[in-house]
Amino acid sequence: MRIETPHFKDNAHEALKDKQLQKALGGLPGGLVAQRAAARAKLPEFETLRDIGRDLRNETLELLDVYLETYERNATAAGAHVHWAETAEDARRIIVELCKAEGAQLVTKGKSMISEEIGLNDALEEAGLEVVETDLGEYILQIRGETPSHIIAPAIHLTQEQVEADFRRVHDDLPADRALVEPAELVGEARRVLRQKFLAADVGITGANFLIAETGSSVIVTNEGNGDLTQSLARVHIVITSIDKVLATREDLATILRLLARSATGQECTTYATLSTGPRRPGDVDGPEAYHVVLLDNGRAELLGTRFREVLRCIRCGACMNHCPVYGAVGGHTYGWVYPGPIGAVLTPALIGIEKGANLPNASTFCGRCESVCPMRIPLPKLMRHWREADFEAGQPPLTQRMALKAWTALATRPRLYHLAMRFGAAVLGAAGTWRGRFGWLPLAGGWTKHRDLAAPQGRTFQQLWAETQRGVPR
Amino acid sequence: MSVARTAILGRIRASLKAKAGDEARIAAANTRIATHANQLVPERARGPEQGRVALFRSFLEGQLASVIEVAGDDAVPAAINTYLQQMELPARLRMGADARLAAMPFAAERGLVVETGPAQADDAVGLSHALCGIAETGTLVMAAGGDNPVTLAFLPTTHIIVVRRDTIVGSYEEAVSKVRDALGAISMPRTLNYISGPSRTADIGGKIVIGAHGPRNLAVIVTG
Ligand code: SF4
């Protein structure tokens, strides 16, 4: 996927002006927020389960190499072929080669963010294969030539009217006067079109929400059932996933499943959770004849050794973006790469480099809602702050910002000078602002006052007021 | 052993400041897997046996599945026939080689055509037998294979699942124990499905539509 992260600010301006997008965003995230809250209220143990989920993911990451080896051993014993890919390019090459070796022409795909991360569709198409996304949201994006704007609701930025127009444009062999007004009619049409693809596909590619070391299984979690048709009707099933997805046991999966759907959509559970282990067995009458799993690193092994390790606990539920005021205002595309929202602000700089991703950790109000809802209790604001520091250390911010911070440091590390300067500032601003009590414009603060007023100080500093309170001076 | 594998595992160990072949770490992982301890099992999944089927049923119905309770296996074919008539569905279904289903008196159901094998593209109704049910979320656990081909659960427009009342457990953890009992400590079928309703999507304008790619109708017959 093309990296657009450096254009975050321009994209955000565009997004705020985009009426279609604002209409699409208007209805949804609020609904998901309320649904999550309702699901949480119905499960009294939810907060404790979050602690447990965090701990068991930490334990697995602490022994990641051992669990991956165990996973590989058990998967291989069940007949799986496990492939290791250091980079996105390696993963693309492995999958293209597997498809070619199978003489494949048509590839169906379940939803996979890792496949977006590695730009898999383009690679397969360049190799002459027809690729069809089968998750309804992903299918709509594919026919529009777009990328997902949300990790679990990829087409959340589109309205029903836009989808209708796209179906009329692309399904041009169907009668032009057909009814396509109800969502059910649109879903029905996509269902009929995609059925043919499921049945004709040579290779089915899915992601994996999780891997289970104990049994060598890969797990997908869906509501549509498209992933299941993708993987059970094609001759070959290829799983593309990353090394951080491994869990120890099926019991651990139970805990994680209790958190995932409730955090994501407020469902008690998703309609389907599917554990796949090897290819079809003797005696089976359906299922794939071959089963491959591609394990992608792409920077994660290194990330494990940094202060960003905790982000690897992420189970990709999307709660952080559903609750993010910035995401809610500008949508996912503005973030410019695969992972939007708070998780994207932490993960993207790690995967594409802070030089390109610096805008994202800065696009935050630090309100903390993401951390307060993250089922894995990832301290997203803290990690964003770490990226800001890393960005600053790398000398990226503009000169004025760095000068200002240097000046601030000079003051803040010298208490007496600081108090003197603050008293002076508060007195001057207090006197200048007495007329209205606020400023519509101030020199050096244009970035702030352009969109809001700055309240005028009341003439004394906090330290002065505090000292007076301590002395019992009436206010 | 591939170069990439060695490199990735090496990087992970460098990040964790760990050595390859560290017996203590390997033992820690092995023990965790061998004990496969339950974490916190929610109260609602630990409720008394009497309430279990009702809980199971209420979640499934909340997901717009139909739940039909019958007295015993002999009553299953008639219940299916009635359901198909009520839903105005074709009186024709397909099932796998499951012995429990095969032993049910389908021949006595006039007009009901029963075919066997994996699902075909234009099948209207698939019938499977669940390994067990989970009350805490209204979930069916399906161990796919020749007995219950996986495609029957996803291709036909209607999927009917038979589950024995005494196999409906409270929690996911108990269901995993049942899988272990049936198949062995770490053995799995090619596909193990957790199914909790008919297929659905919210991808068009955020509105929930039942019947995305999988079945539009899910009927669960609780027997025994
Ligand atoms: S960071 Fe937390 S809230 Fe965000 S997607 Fe990951 S697990 Fe969900």
Side-chain angles (χ1 to χ4, degrees):
Chain A
M1 189 171 152
R2 274 199 35 208
I3 296 174
E4 292 281 346
T5 45
H7 309 302
F8 180 88
K9 283 183 192 159
D10 293 342
N11 293 345
H13 280 294
E14 290 304 312
L16 288 168
K17 283 188 285 184
D18 183 336
K19 291 212 171 61
Q20 289 277 10
L21 174 66
Q22 291 302 328
K23 183 179 172 200
L25 287 174
L28 274 173
L32 293 173
V33 167
Q35 286 159 24
R36 174 193 174 275
R40 174 176 172 271
K42 275 165 74 180
L43 190 69
E45 296 89 346
F46 191 76
E47 294 304 314
T48 316
L49 285 167
R50 287 174 66 190
D51 294 336
I52 295 170
R54 171 199 59 204
D55 294 349
L56 70 86
R57 289 286 278 155
N58 279 345
E59 283 175 50
T60 320
L61 289 174
E62 190 55 52
L63 298 172
L64 185 60
D65 52 323
V66 184
Y67 281 117
L68 283 169
E69 286 177 306
T70 310
Y71 161 77
E72 182 189 40
R73 196 165 50 245
N74 289 330
T76 308
H81 300 278
V82 178
H83 310 260
W84 301 71
E86 289 184 74
T87 63
E89 193 187 336
D90 292 343
R92 287 195 298 266
R93 181 180 37 76
I94 291 167
I95 296 173
V96 167
E97 277 170 13
L98 286 172
C99 290
K100 282 194 174 158
E102 290 292 337
Q105 290 174 336
L106 175 61
V107 176
T108 45
K109 266 187 74 210
K111 187 172 146 37
S112 150
M113 292 310 293
I114 300 286
S115 81
E116 302 284 344
E117 179 181 326
I118 66 171
L120 181 59
N121 288 12
D122 287 347
L124 291 170
E125 279 165 6
E126 270 164 37
L129 290 143
E130 181 189 352
V131 187
V132 182
E133 293 285 350
T134 64
D135 172 85
L136 190 51
E138 294 280 353
Y139 174 70
I140 294 165
L141 298 181
Q142 188 181 29
I143 63 180
R144 292 176 64 88
E146 288 184 5
T147 52
S149 68
H150 190 289
I151 60 172
I152 60 151
I156 200 170
H157 59 287
L158 296 174
T159 62
Q160 188 185 321
E161 294 74 30
Q162 287 173 300
V163 178
E164 180 190 340
D166 290 322
F167 280 15
R168 291 202 186 278
R169 175 175 56 81
V170 175
H171 304 155
D172 54 3
D173 51 337
L174 298 172
D177 59 351
R178 67 194 187 281
L180 268 184
V181 186
E182 293 300 318
E185 287 165 342
L186 290 158
V187 174
E189 181 162 311
R191 177 185 169 108
R192 284 187 295 278
V193 169
L194 287 168
R195 275 262 135 167
Q196 306 312 315
K197 303 294 182 186
F198 285 125
L199 291 161
D202 305 295
V203 172
I205 300 179
T206 68
N209 295 76
F210 308 105
L211 301 170
I212 303 177
E214 175 195 21
T215 54
S217 310
S218 59
V219 183
I220 58 168
V221 174
T222 76
N223 282 314
E224 296 184 1
N226 64 305
D228 291 280
L229 288 168
T230 298
Q231 68 170 48
S232 35
L233 289 171
R235 208 167 62 240
V236 180
H237 177 198
I238 302 177
V239 177
I240 169 73
T241 191
S242 56
I243 54 170
D244 50 324
K245 300 279 169 71
V246 69
L247 300 174
T249 63
R250 287 165 285 185
E251 279 78 1
D252 287 356
L253 176 69
T255 295
I256 298 289
L257 286 180
R258 286 189 185 108
L259 291 163
L260 177 57
R262 290 182 176 95
S263 300
T265 56
Q267 289 170 276
E268 295 281 336
C269 62
T270 51
T271 306
Y272 302 113
T274 301
L275 289 73
S276 303
T277 316
R280 80 160 71 173
R281 310 283 167 78
D284 285 2
V285 291
D286 52 15
E289 286 155 27
Y291 171 72
H292 298 268
V293 181
V294 180
L295 297 175
L296 176 72
D297 176 353
N298 211 22
R300 290 167 173 83
E302 238 165 73
L303 196 58
L304 192 63
T306 69
R307 54 190 169 164
F308 299 100
R309 178 196 289 195
E310 293 183 87
V311 76
L312 294 172
R313 289 203 300 267
C314 175
I315 57 172
R316 303 286 189 273
C317 71
C320 54
M321 58 201 76
N322 296 341
H323 290 75
C324 175
V326 176
Y327 179 94
V330 300
H333 284 154
T334 306
Y335 290 80
W337 200 57
V338 180
Y339 305 100
I343 177 62
V346 176
L347 194 59
T348 302
L351 298 182
I352 66 172
I354 186 62
E355 327 71 63
K356 296 199 201 92
N359 269 329
L360 306 188
N362 284 299
S364 163
T365 65
F366 283 76
C367 68
R369 288 181 82 192
C370 49
E371 180 174 0
S372 75
V373 297
C374 173
M376 294 297 112
R377 296 204 191 279
I378 299 169
L380 294 154
K382 182 180 96 183
L383 300 182
M384 278 185 247
R385 234 174 346 253
H386 286 337
W387 277 126
R388 289 190 183 186
E389 288 157 18
D391 180 36
F392 187 76
E393 282 155 19
Q396 286 249 349
L399 187 65
T400 46
Q401 203 177 320
R402 272 179 289 148
M403 298 284 287
L405 276 172
K406 281 240 168 68
W408 166 255
T409 314
L411 272 183
T413 50
R414 294 172 179 79
R416 291 184 47 176
L417 193 60
Y418 177 87
H419 288 160
L420 206 64
M422 286 303 127
R423 266 192 226 182
F424 176 73
V428 169
L429 287 178
T434 27
W435 180 51
R436 285 204 311 158
R438 58 197 151 89
F439 295 94
W441 181 82
L442 262 186
L444 300 179
W448 178 275
T449 52
K450 195 165 157 197
H451 297 292
R452 41 203 159 347
D453 290 347
L454 181 72
Q458 301 306 303
R460 282 173 296 174
T461 66
F462 173 75
Q463 279 101 340
Q464 282 173 302
L465 287 173
W466 178 252
E468 286 168 13
T469 311
Q470 294 295 301
R471 287 199 309 268
V473 177
R475 296 187 55 198
Chain B
M1 292 299 145
S2 82
V3 179
R5 181 185 189 278
T6 312
I8 294 171
L9 290 173
R11 265 199 294 274
I12 293 173
R13 287 185 189 115
S15 282
L16 294 171
K17 301 188 173 46
K19 285 198 188 62
D22 179 336
E23 294 297 334
R25 298 177 74 243
I26 294 170
N30 286 347
T31 307
R32 182 174 179 110
I33 289 174
T35 43
H36 52 77
N38 289 357
Q39 306 292 333
L40 173 67
V41 176
E43 176 92 54
R44 82 149 78 134
R46 287 181 276 129
E49 208 179 322
Q50 309 90 282
R52 213 177 277 158
V53 176
L55 189 64
F56 173 77
R57 180 177 187 136
S58 71
F59 279 118
L60 274 164
E61 288 176 342
Q63 296 297 311
L64 303 179
S66 307
V67 181
I68 302 159
E69 294 183 50
V70 300
D73 284 7
D74 287 352
V76 171
I80 290 174
N81 212 0
T82 310
Y83 169 78
L84 294 177
Q85 279 164 21
Q86 279 168 355
M87 298 289 289
E88 297 179 17
L89 292 164
R92 176 183 283 267
L93 61 78
R94 191 183 297 279
M95 63 188 202
D98 191 281
R100 296 159 295 187
L101 294 177
M104 294 175 185
F106 280 97
E109 282 310 301
R110 285 167 50 93
L112 183 64
V113 180
V114 177
E115 294 166 299
T116 53
Q120 303 299 305
D122 46 7
D123 281 352
V125 184
L127 173 66
S128 323
H129 202 298
L131 180 74
C132 61
I134 305 173
E136 72 167 296
T137 49
T139 300
L140 284 308
V141 181
M142 318 294 299
D147 286 353
N148 292 286
V150 64
T151 46
L152 290 176
F154 292 96
L155 257 187
T157 331
T158 299
H159 186 209
I160 303 175
I161 303 176
V162 177
V163 62
R164 290 192 56 87
R165 179 181 295 273
D166 59 8
T167 63
I168 297 173
V169 296
S171 66
Y172 282 79
E173 286 81 352
E174 286 170 86
V176 172
S177 298
K178 287 223 175 273
V179 174
R180 282 203 185 90
D181 292 347
L183 298 163
I186 62 163
S187 295
M188 289 282 273
R190 147 66 197 165
T191 315
L192 187 84
N193 297 105
Y194 293 150
I195 300 180
S196 308
S199 124
R200 57 147 81 193
T201 183
D203 273 348
I204 296 186
K207 300 188 185 76
I208 290 173
V209 174
I210 300 297
H213 293 296
R216 279 200 189 106
N217 310 309
L218 177 70
V220 177
I221 315 243
V222 181
T223 171

